[in-house]
Amino acid sequence: MPLIRIKSLPFAQEVNIPATLGVLSKAVSETSDIDLKHVMATWDYLSPHHYAHNGKVVDCQPDKTHPLLVHLIAPNFNTETQIATMLEVIANTLADVLPVSKENIFINFSPAYSDGIYDAGHVVEWDD
């Protein structure tokens, strides 16, 4: 049930966000051995001039500043290695398909806990 939430400024050039989310979801699914139906990804644009980095605001997504902000939420039963793999796959995939360098991607991870997720009509439990 990984959930990948991405925020960025609008891009100056045309970027196909639906295709990017599809490629990203598939990459995470395949490299993490998670059925694609369990991978969720969203993209939100920040308003121009509403994101400061190094004390500066800009109107569109730069390549080397104002990192893409990515939040990965995944079950706490994943190992550190599995989480690190997901983080690397997310960064590599985004850098491959977007006009943003890998060094300009910031990803944080939050664990999801058994009984702390509601999905498919019920509270989800898993064994630790």
Side-chain angles (χ1 to χ4, degrees), residues 76-77 113-119 122-128:
N76 69 324
F77 58 71
Y113 296 95
S114 180
D115 294 323
I117 299 293
Y118 184 90
D119 188 28
H122 63 281
V123 175
V124 180
E125 289 186 43
W126 55 77
D127 295 327
D128 293 335

Side-chain angles (χ1 to χ4, degrees), residues 25-83:
S25 296
K26 188 174 181 184
V28 170
S29 170
E30 290 175 351
T31 59
S32 302
D33 197 28
I34 299 168
D35 195 323
L36 185 58
K37 70 180 180 182
H38 297 297
V39 179
M40 298 173 282
T42 67
W43 196 294
D44 291 309
Y45 280 122
L46 300 165
S47 297
H49 303 289
H50 283 74
Y51 178 12
H53 180 246
N54 196 25
K56 297 180 178 145
V57 296
V58 294
D59 61 348
C60 61
Q61 184 62 52
D63 177 43
K64 301 201 184 303
T65 67
H66 298 76
L68 292 183
L69 303 173
V70 183
H71 186 186
L72 169 64
I73 303 166
N76 69 324
F77 58 71
N78 287 284
T79 66
E80 287 182 14
T81 301
Q82 289 169 319
I83 295 301

Side-chain angles (χ1 to χ4, degrees), residues 65-107:
T65 67
H66 298 76
L68 292 183
L69 303 173
V70 183
H71 186 186
L72 169 64
I73 303 166
N76 69 324
F77 58 71
N78 287 284
T79 66
E80 287 182 14
T81 301
Q82 289 169 319
I83 295 301
T85 297
M86 282 190 253
L87 296 173
E88 288 289 340
V89 166
I90 292 167
N92 289 333
T93 303
L94 292 174
D96 285 346
V97 299
L98 297 172
V100 174
S101 68
K102 185 177 173 183
E103 293 76 20
N104 202 36
I105 299 171
F106 176 86
I107 309 173

